[in-house]
Amino acid sequence: MIQHAKLRTLSTANTTNWLLTSSPDVYLYGALLQAAPYLQDDARITVWASLYKTGLSELKEADDRGSTSGVLITRARTLG
């Protein structure tokens, strides 16, 4: 079963969430990626996009490891 959680909006009362705490680089590079065209810094878009994708990949890998971690229990079958 796959569940998706909605991030709570950041505000003065809610200054962090699990994503910002565990992967601040995803927020940073995502913000820089979005700001680059506005600031007419097109040369940096590929840099920020690459770092953002790397952060997302690392976050996904950590999530995958967490969802498959645990103890594998094996039992021998006895016949008859």
Side-chain angles (χ1 to χ4, degrees):
M1 176 189 305
I2 297 175
Q3 296 180 346
H4 298 278
K6 183 176 180 181
L7 291 175
R8 293 182 57 199
T9 304
L10 298 177
S11 66
T12 55
N14 183 35
T15 59
T16 192
N17 57 35
W18 69 266
L19 179 59
L20 185 56
T21 300
S22 67
S23 300
D25 56 327
V26 173
Y27 266 95
L28 173 63
Y29 296 129
L32 289 169
L33 177 59
Q34 294 298 311
Y38 176 76
L39 298 172
Q40 298 177 357
D41 192 9
D42 294 343
R44 302 295 289 178
I45 289 174
T46 55
V47 173
W48 304 140
S50 175
L51 291 169
Y52 179 69
K53 287 179 185 178
T54 299
L56 286 179
S57 294
E58 291 172 355
L59 188 62
K60 183 177 179 348
E61 288 173 16
D63 183 56
D64 290 346
R65 280 192 309 270
S67 65
T68 59
S69 67
V71 177
L72 177 62
I73 298 174
T74 58
R75 294 191 176 106
R77 291 182 65 183
T78 56
L79 300 173

